[in-house]
Amino acid sequence: MPVVASCVKVNLFYQRHHHHHLICSSIFTTFTKRLSMVTASSAGGAFTTLQERVTFDKEIKKSKFIAIAAPISDERSAFSFLAEVRDARATHNCWAYKVGDQFRSNDDGEPSGTAGKPIQSAIESSGIDRVMVVVIRYFGGIKLGTGGLVRAYGGVTAECLRNAPTCVVKSKVPMGLEVTFDLLGVLYHQLQSFQVEDIKQDYDTGKDNVTMVTFKVDFDKAESLEEALKANCSRDIVFYRH
């Protein structure tokens, strides 16, 4: 399933507090470590990927090259895309993809290193991640030679990606804390302001009038969210990120 940049708005109903001192009189208690670990590739950063599928075609010495690029999320989606676009009538369906630090490529019958690797190099040079490019070749009767093939496959891939619409996808940081009931309104108001996602509440904390709240926030908003909550209270507030 393609990765796309999205912004999820969280509609929350919250209490309005009439006295500011209620914020400071209540206590944020330590969140027990019940959050699942996330992989390093998604735990603290952003990446650029394609907004949508793009195509570029070019004739080189009577051979027709068609580069088709699409955003992908993992190996499974890469091979699903390949199965969808490959043309059994074509002479070659060469490809490469990049997902974080993972690269794979295939020459599909072209001389070793003349197709898949140039496609991969062009992807890496583009700075685009979570992407796959399939280059379909229809042989036109004139051999290009090793150097010509490298230039052809790398070139059409670079052209395909050069003007493709891209978007930045921000990694989400899982965070959480335990909060007393009377502070839920203040907390949810801030969570709404920072457009957090996947909010969950767990009342089974074993503590009276205390609930556990977990959520995910853009990695570059995590510190600002902490500061916004801490600014309303004289006590230190403990957050956990995983």
Side-chain angles (χ1 to χ4, degrees):
M1 181 172 183
V3 176
V4 296
S6 63
C7 177
V8 179
K9 293 185 178 180
V10 184
N11 295 316
L12 301 166
F13 293 97
Y14 59 92
Q15 294 175 305
R16 294 187 177 276
H17 291 263
H18 301 288
H19 301 288
H20 179 77
H21 71 271
L22 285 177
I23 301 172
C24 295
S25 63
S26 298
I27 300 173
F28 280 94
T29 56
T30 303
F31 168 55
T32 55
K33 298 182 179 181
R34 300 185 190 177
L35 297 175
S36 60
M37 297 297 289
V38 294
T39 60
S41 63
S42 65
F47 62 88
T48 299
T49 192
L50 297 180
Q51 285 186 0
E52 58 192 21
R53 185 178 301 188
V54 290
T55 302
F56 175 82
D57 62 85
K58 185 175 184 179
E59 185 175 305
I60 302 174
K61 293 186 178 180
K62 296 187 177 181
S63 280
K64 185 174 183 180
F65 291 83
I66 303 174
I68 310 173
I72 59 171
S73 56
D74 52 24
E75 183 176 76
R76 178 178 295 181
S77 64
F79 285 112
S80 176
F81 169 63
L82 175 62
E84 179 184 348
V85 301
R86 70 176 300 128
D87 186 349
R89 300 167 300 175
T91 315
H92 304 281
N93 291 271
C94 307
W95 54 266
Y97 72 77
K98 180 182 187 299
V99 178
D101 295 329
Q102 182 183 11
F103 286 92
R104 283 194 65 180
S105 62
N106 189 286
D107 295 310
D108 193 39
E110 293 282 28
S112 179
T114 63
K117 291 297 184 183
I119 297 171
Q120 177 180 316
S121 295
I123 291 174
E124 192 164 12
S125 297
S126 74
I128 299 173
D129 197 2
R130 273 69 166 181
V131 64
M132 184 177 198
V133 181
V134 179
V135 180
I136 302 169
R137 182 191 182 190
Y138 300 91
F139 183 57
I142 300 175
K143 293 185 177 181
L144 301 182
T146 301
L149 288 172
V150 170
R151 288 189 294 273
Y153 281 100
V156 295
T157 300
E159 287 293 328
C160 183
L161 297 176
R162 184 169 293 127
N163 298 313
T166 60
C167 58
V168 176
V169 179
K170 296 180 180 180
S171 297
K172 302 292 181 181
V173 179
M175 297 180 66
L177 67 159
E178 287 183 346
V179 59
T180 51
F181 292 169
D182 63 333
L183 268 182
L184 281 174
V186 175
L187 174 63
Y188 277 123
H189 178 58
Q190 291 297 334
L191 297 185
Q192 182 184 34
S193 297
F194 283 83
Q195 297 178 320
V196 308
E197 300 178 12
D198 296 337
I199 298 175
K200 295 181 176 64
Q201 253 185 265
D202 183 1
Y203 289 94
D204 188 18
T205 62
K207 303 173 184 178
D208 292 338
N209 299 317
V210 173
T211 182
M212 181 186 298
V213 181
T214 60
F215 50 88
K216 293 180 181 179
V217 63
D218 288 344
F219 81 100
D220 57 348
K221 294 181 180 179
E223 288 188 11
S224 297
L225 175 57
E226 289 186 21
E227 291 171 2
L229 286 168
K230 289 178 180 180
N232 292 312
C233 187
S234 59
R235 297 178 60 95
D236 288 334
I237 305 170
V238 180
F239 292 84
Y240 283 88
R241 307 186 204 178
H242 288 259

